[in-house]
């Protein structure tokens, strides 16, 4: 039986990265719980310097089933231009880039963005190991600057970041083509944190139809109409 990605080298790398991420889950969850005892997660200073340092070496990879789902969505859309907000070590980026590669579209690209320089370095090494660097434009810095110009119509967007999920969508929204899909992870874990995001995708003026897919933690799927 053919595997989903049909790329043994890539799947071996992804197995390793998912395993690393799984080993960090308990530590990451405990860190969030300690922080929430000090300050609500939807407060502006929840992600202070100490919290950013704590997260700086955490993979926090998109769950395997969600990443595979995104791969299939990008294949079904014949996606050429994909945007990812929150690249981290590049696990989900590899699935998205594999889809763009397999679509065999001219000048296909995944535009990723990551704030942590060390994560950018590791992600780029992972892209090189997978042989997918040519399909990825990873931009280092604050996504409120790095995503200002995405270069053309966007077919698919993955929002896998907490504190600036709404900002990411607001910036990229004008570039989403009709029929484009936006997926946002973990929207039922801390629903208050995504209040503004839900307001945006449910506002008819922004031209989305949206529903929560029942993956663990919630997975909001919105289509530009």
């Amino acid at each position: 039986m053919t595997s989903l990605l049909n790329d043994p080298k890539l799947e071996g790398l992804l197995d390793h990265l998912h395993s690393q991420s799984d080993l960090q889950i308990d530590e990451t969850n405990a860190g969030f719980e300690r922080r929430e005892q000090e300050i609500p997660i939807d407060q502006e200073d929840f992600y202070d310097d100490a919290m950013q340092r704590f997260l700086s070496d955490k993979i926090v990879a998109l769950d395997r089933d969600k990443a595979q789902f995104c791969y299939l969505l990008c294949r079904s859309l014949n996606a050429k231009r994909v945007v990812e907000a929150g690249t981290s070590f590049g696990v989900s980026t590899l699935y998205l880039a594999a889809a763009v590669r397999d679509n065999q579209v001219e000048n296909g690209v995944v535009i990723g963005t990551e704030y942590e320089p060390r994560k950018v370095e590791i992600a780029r090494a992972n892209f090189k190991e997978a042989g997918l660097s040519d399909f990825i434009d990873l931009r280092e810095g604050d996504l409120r600057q790095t995503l200002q110009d995405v270069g053309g119509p966007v077919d698919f967007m993955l929002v896998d970041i907490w504190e600036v999920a709404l900002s990411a969508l607001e910036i990229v929204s004008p570039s989403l083509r009709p029929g484009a899909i936006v997926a946002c992870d973990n929207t039922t874990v801390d629903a208050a944190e995504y209040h503004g995001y839900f307001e945006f995708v449910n506002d008819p003026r922004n031209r989305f139809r949206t529903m929560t897919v029942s993956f663990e933690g919630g997975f909001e799927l919105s289509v530009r109409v």
Side-chain angles (χ1 to χ4, degrees):
M1 181 179 177
T2 302
S3 61
L4 178 67
L5 299 179
N6 195 26
D7 185 336
K9 180 180 178 182
L10 173 59
E11 289 174 317
L13 173 60
L14 288 169
D15 284 343
H16 172 68
L17 292 172
H18 279 296
S19 295
Q20 282 189 310
S21 182
D22 290 344
L23 289 172
Q24 294 178 336
I25 287 175
D26 289 344
E27 182 185 359
T28 302
N29 289 342
F32 272 95
E33 289 172 7
R34 287 193 300 271
R35 183 62 174 155
E36 285 186 272
Q37 291 173 2
E38 302 168 356
I39 185 171
I41 195 169
D42 58 343
Q43 293 298 305
E44 212 170 280
D45 54 349
F46 182 89
Y47 294 97
D48 61 5
D49 290 344
M51 193 62 181
Q52 294 291 355
R53 284 194 299 272
F54 171 75
L55 292 171
S56 65
D57 65 345
K58 306 298 184 296
I59 298 178
V60 200
L62 190 70
D63 295 342
R64 185 188 295 270
D65 53 356
K66 296 174 184 177
Q68 291 175 337
F69 185 54
C70 288
Y71 171 86
L72 290 175
L73 289 172
C74 287
R75 292 303 310 274
S76 71
L77 290 166
N78 198 35
K80 174 179 179 177
R81 182 173 284 102
V82 174
V83 173
E84 178 189 49
T87 294
S88 189
F89 284 30
V91 178
S92 51
T93 325
L94 292 170
Y95 286 91
L96 300 174
V100 170
R101 175 198 63 188
D102 296 345
N103 286 340
Q104 298 183 4
V105 289
E106 187 176 0
N107 299 320
V109 66
V110 178
I111 299 169
T113 182
E114 173 56 49
Y115 185 78
E116 287 287 339
R118 178 58 178 156
K119 287 189 174 184
V120 170
E121 181 183 351
I122 294 171
R124 286 184 173 142
N126 289 332
F127 303 157
K128 182 177 181 180
E129 182 176 345
L132 290 170
S133 298
D134 289 346
F135 299 93
I136 302 168
D137 172 12
L138 179 56
R139 302 173 180 182
E140 181 180 339
D142 189 321
L143 63 78
R144 286 164 289 198
Q145 279 76 53
T146 59
L147 295 182
Q148 286 292 336
D149 181 5
V150 293
V154 173
D155 303 297
F156 182 86
M157 180 178 185
L158 174 61
V159 182
D160 190 15
I161 196 164
W162 299 287
E163 70 271 31
V164 286
L166 175 58
S167 296
L169 181 57
E170 287 177 327
I171 292 166
V172 176
S173 185
S175 297
L176 294 169
R177 67 160 174 86
I181 293 175
V182 180
C184 184
D185 191 28
N186 282 330
T187 51
T188 61
V189 174
D190 288 290
E193 188 175 4
Y194 290 95
H195 177 73
Y197 186 95
F198 280 116
E199 280 192 340
F200 188 87
V201 295
N202 283 290
D203 187 334
R205 294 173 296 180
N206 295 322
R207 299 185 292 117
F208 286 103
R209 295 291 184 273
T210 191
M211 67 176 292
T212 302
V213 183
S214 55
F215 285 112
E216 184 177 358
F219 200 65
E220 193 68 14
L221 205 66
S222 308
V223 178
R224 164 56 54 81
V225 296

